Amino acid sequence: MNPLIFVASVIAARSAVGLASIGLGVGQGTDAGQTIKGITRQPEAEGKIRGTLLPSLAFMETLTIYVLVVSLTLLFANSFV
């Protein structure tokens, strides 16, 4: 096993998961904040706004899980080793 490839794989996996988590936190926080702002402006549209919020949060979370799966694959099923 080449230690340079192993170290590069670990660094790539850590940075990918870290950046995806940061992006997810910022995106979900912005989305939730805008949802609250929209509901306070138009309380009668709360159901529609919430109905749009939940799938968008799920899609954001799914993207982060995909990054985690790719990172774990990079670490444990590395074809370069």
Side-chain angles (χ1 to χ4, degrees), residues 38-77:
I39 289 173
T40 55
R41 288 183 182 179
Q42 292 184 338
E44 66 276 357
E46 178 183 1
K48 258 184 149 176
I49 294 172
R50 187 177 295 156
T52 306
L53 170 72
L54 295 178
S56 69
L57 292 177
F59 289 140
M60 282 188 245
E61 194 73 33
T62 303
L63 179 64
T64 305
I65 291 171
Y66 287 154
V67 170
L68 177 64
V69 168
V70 169
S71 296
L72 290 175
T73 303
L74 182 64
L75 287 177
F76 295 114

Side-chain angles (χ1 to χ4, degrees), residues 2 4-5 9 14 16 19 31-32 37 57-58 65-67:
N2 189 352
L4 181 62
I5 292 174
S9 297
R14 285 183 178 181
L19 290 174
D31 203 10
K37 192 181 291 185
L57 292 177
I65 291 171
Y66 287 154
V67 170

